[in-house]
Amino acid sequence: MKPPVFEYHAPTHIDEVLELVAQHGDEAKPLAGGQSLVPAMNFRLARPSVLIDLNGIDGLGAIALEGDELRIGAMTRQRAVERSDLVGEVTPLLSETLPFVAHPQIRNRGTVGGSLAHADPAAELPAVALALGARFFVRSQRGTRVVEADAFFDGLFSTAMEDDELLENVAFPVLADGQVTAFSEISRRHGDYALVGVAVSLSVDSSGCCERARIGLLSVGDGPVLAVRAAEVLAGEVPSDELIRSAAARAGHDDIDPPGDIHASVDYRRHLTEVLVRRTLAAAFARASNGGSA
Amino acid sequence: MANQARFPVRGTINGEEFEREVEPRLLLSDFIRHELGLTGTHVGCEHGVCGACTVLLDGESVRSCLLFAVQANGRKLETVEGLSQGDAPLHPLQEAFREEHGLQCGFCTPGFLMSLLPFLEENPSPTDQEIREALSGNLCRCTGYDHIVNAVRTAASSLRDAETAGAE
Ligand SMILES: Cc1cc2nc3c(=O)[nH]c(=O)nc-3n(C[C@H](O)[C@H](O)[C@H](O)COP(=O)(O)OP(=O)(O)OC[C@H]3O[C@@H](n4cnc5c(N)ncnc54)[C@H](O)[C@@H]3O)c2cc1C
Ligand code: FES
Ligand code: FES
């Protein structure tokens, strides 16, 4: 099908965008990569009356190291992040995860900011942002505020951003000493939305004890889910098969309230979550004992 | 309704310049087919899933059904027609699809070719696993994919041969 009529704006400066969103409120939508918005418009599931194309704005597509954070501009293409050596070095979880996001043709256009702002419960990047504890720089004419990942996602396709706010960039903490990360997912076909996915970040001290764990899950709730109960099982403990198994069981049973659909029932999603959390934790701990590399 | 304003689009397609005025809601896929008359780019699903509409935008494979024509302003487009123009021999990738029966009805083929072109440039010696992953964004209802995988393998080797021959 074809998209309905809309008023098109292609501003070249972010101030113009902020003015337009302030003026039009929820009638207006920013157009980033268009890889979620345009299909929705073609199917007339979304009918924004004003479309603000962000593709001509300079300075929203940069990847830069700032202190102990990697700042990724909202308009950075997913493919550019996937290919960046800097990203691979300082936030390897992003590099490991991006090949699972759709297909190269989609990632060539799709942006990091678009994926996070869209907050699809089946998307990989929101779960990764939760696992890493990213910070979101959200800007409007009222100013810029910083939202922590834990507060950014709030339900189905919903974030803490107001209608007049734009996601400007996202700060991912640089991999610290003793920190290891891993990602895995199960999908019916490479590149499809996953039935379940798991992003893990662990801080392991020199004696091998797990100081802290963050486990982000996708496709098992209204939005990305932080498996806090599973993480509690790991905190302060020395990893063993048994410990990993009991953390995984907490994730599959106590941390989630997954949906059932034609692709996977509720019970199957719980089962997959438990298995994937177990495998992903084991992979991450193995990296820790190899001194951080895979 | 509000704004039916038309916007200029100017760029190149398969090396030739074009210039038109379009309604902003016109999809790039429809622009290429109906305005520019290049019907080799096919439209299957219009939601990014099938890959039939894949074209190159500044050298990168993209879904033309998920872009508006206005967004191609100032850009370089390439479609399947650009692979072999007029009486020129088929592009090695096309030749390999023909040799290996990589197509039956051919509806999906332009999208496969335009996805594979940048892939083989970046990865001239792909493994079968890499080929299958590279194909995962394109659907084919006829071939069962095995013949397409064979075609890509064959194309990769003839493109490599052409490269070494050119270098000598
Ligand atoms: C066939 C197909 C398969 C896919 N598979 C996957 C997959 O497996 N995993 C996955 O994660 N994704 C998948 N996607 C979605 C893809 O990753 C999209 O690129 C992503 O969800 C949205 O990013 P975008 O830049 O395209 O945003 P757009 O589609 O342009 O925008 C999405 C939404 O975010 C808003 N928005 C965009 N940027 C901003 C901003 N800076 N500030 C505020 N709001 C903003 C828009 O107004 C819109 O509401 C798939 C898409 C397709 C077509
Ligand atoms: S028509 Fe564009 S992906 Fe199917
Ligand atoms: S050859 Fe018919 S769809 Fe692929």
Side-chain angles (χ1 to χ4, degrees):
Chain A
M1 276 169 59
K2 313 296 175 194
V5 169
F6 54 83
E7 192 181 305
Y8 178 73
H9 294 271
T12 53
H13 197 277
I14 188 163
D15 289 342
E16 294 171 70
V17 180
L18 298 178
E19 192 178 326
L20 284 162
V21 286
Q23 193 182 328
H24 295 284
D26 66 356
E27 290 285 289
K29 282 228 174 268
L31 173 64
Q35 304 299 292
S36 293
L37 183 54
V38 180
M41 290 174 68
N42 286 353
F43 274 59
R44 306 214 167 183
L45 298 170
R47 296 168 161 271
S49 53
V50 177
L51 212 58
I52 307 160
D53 193 340
L54 304 181
N55 288 280
I57 297 180
D58 279 342
L60 283 182
I63 303 176
L65 210 49
E66 279 186 30
D68 54 4
E69 287 181 329
L70 186 71
R71 286 279 193 106
I72 301 186
M75 284 301 290
T76 312
R77 307 285 170 199
Q78 293 155 5
R79 193 84 165 137
V81 177
E82 175 186 355
R83 286 177 168 152
S84 158
D85 293 336
L86 176 62
V87 172
E89 220 173 279
V90 304
T91 52
L93 185 58
L94 281 171
S95 314
E96 184 178 359
T97 304
L98 275 158
F100 293 96
V101 178
H103 311 287
Q105 302 96 324
I106 310 279
R107 297 197 294 276
N108 279 338
R109 289 300 295 174
T111 65
V112 170
S115 176
L116 294 168
H118 192 52
D120 188 323
E124 286 82 3
L125 291 180
V128 166
L130 269 189
L132 292 179
R135 301 190 305 142
F136 293 74
F137 287 73
V138 171
R139 188 162 157 189
S140 70
Q141 284 188 321
R142 296 172 285 138
T144 297
R145 63 187 179 109
V146 185
V147 185
E148 302 286 335
D150 298 29
F152 186 76
F153 301 103
D154 67 357
L156 201 60
F157 296 102
S158 174
T159 71
M161 284 191 292
E162 304 289 339
D163 287 337
D164 69 337
E165 287 182 319
L166 193 75
L167 180 58
E168 189 173 16
N169 62 62
V170 184
F172 294 91
V174 165
L175 198 72
D177 278 350
Q179 187 189 1
V180 282
T181 55
F183 180 85
S184 58
E185 71 173 37
I186 293 188
S187 61
R188 288 159 56 90
R189 203 174 52 129
H190 183 85
D192 282 358
Y193 282 105
L195 299 177
V196 168
V198 180
V200 161
S201 167
L202 305 171
S203 307
V204 181
D205 72 16
S206 51
S207 66
C209 175
C210 176
E211 293 172 318
R212 202 171 82 110
R214 282 177 73 94
I215 304 168
L217 304 174
L218 55 112
S219 276
V220 293
D222 282 351
V225 175
L226 196 62
V228 283
R229 295 187 184 88
E232 276 166 13
V233 173
L234 298 168
E237 302 289 332
V238 175
S240 63
D241 283 353
E242 202 181 324
L243 185 79
I244 290 174
R245 273 177 196 283
S246 64
R250 291 304 293 269
H253 297 280
D254 305 331
D255 275 316
I256 58 173
D257 183 12
D261 53 37
I262 53 163
H263 302 301
S265 65
V266 172
D267 286 346
Y268 186 48
R269 278 209 163 80
R270 288 192 185 281
H271 171 74
L272 285 182
T273 304
E274 182 170 344
V275 172
L276 267 195
V277 169
R278 173 162 54 76
R279 288 185 193 160
T280 318
L281 284 173
F285 279 120
R287 284 175 187 180
S289 49
N290 287 339
S293 59
Chain B
M1 247 193 83
N3 182 307
Q4 302 273 356
R6 296 174 83 82
F7 287 76
V9 230
R10 239 167 89 180
T12 67
I13 189 155
N14 304 326
E16 278 186 42
E17 286 181 17
F18 63 82
E19 184 169 2
R20 296 282 194 287
E21 288 210 330
V22 296
E23 237 190 295
R25 70 180 184 129
L26 182 66
L27 296 173
L28 181 61
S29 42
D30 289 334
F31 177 75
I32 291 171
R33 290 174 56 82
H34 304 149
E35 282 286 330
L36 302 180
L38 296 171
T39 52
T41 299
H42 293 167
V43 171
C45 67
E46 289 184 336
H47 60 139
V49 172
C50 75
C53 68
T54 305
V55 301
L56 304 188
L57 177 76
D58 290 339
E60 290 194 314
S61 58
V62 297
R63 305 293 206 224
S64 62
C65 72
L66 299 186
L67 277 157
F68 295 109
V70 278
Q71 298 185 289
N73 193 29
R75 306 294 207 96
K76 180 175 127 193
L77 294 170
E78 289 159 89
T79 65
V80 68
E81 285 89 348
L83 290 184
S84 161
Q85 292 182 341
D87 294 332
L90 290 179
H91 185 281
L93 188 54
Q94 292 172 306
E95 191 55 50
F97 266 67
R98 186 168 75 175
E99 276 301 305
E100 300 287 353
H101 303 283
L103 67 153
Q104 288 178 28
C105 78
F107 187 83
C108 66
T109 314
F112 272 94
L113 299 176
M114 299 319 279
S115 298
L116 287 165
L117 214 57
F119 167 70
L120 287 177
E121 232 162 71
E122 201 172 295
N123 187 353
S125 310
T127 62
D128 279 11
Q129 181 59 29
E130 287 166 340
I131 294 174
R132 285 181 184 278
E133 281 177 17
L135 299 179
S136 69
N138 292 78
L139 297 182
C140 173
R141 298 298 304 269
C142 300
T143 61
Y145 301 101
D146 268 3
H147 292 279
I148 298 182
V149 174
N150 296 342
V152 182
R153 217 185 292 117
T154 300
S157 110
S158 55
L159 285 165
R160 283 196 307 269
D161 291 349
E163 180 83 358
T164 19
E168 272 161 17

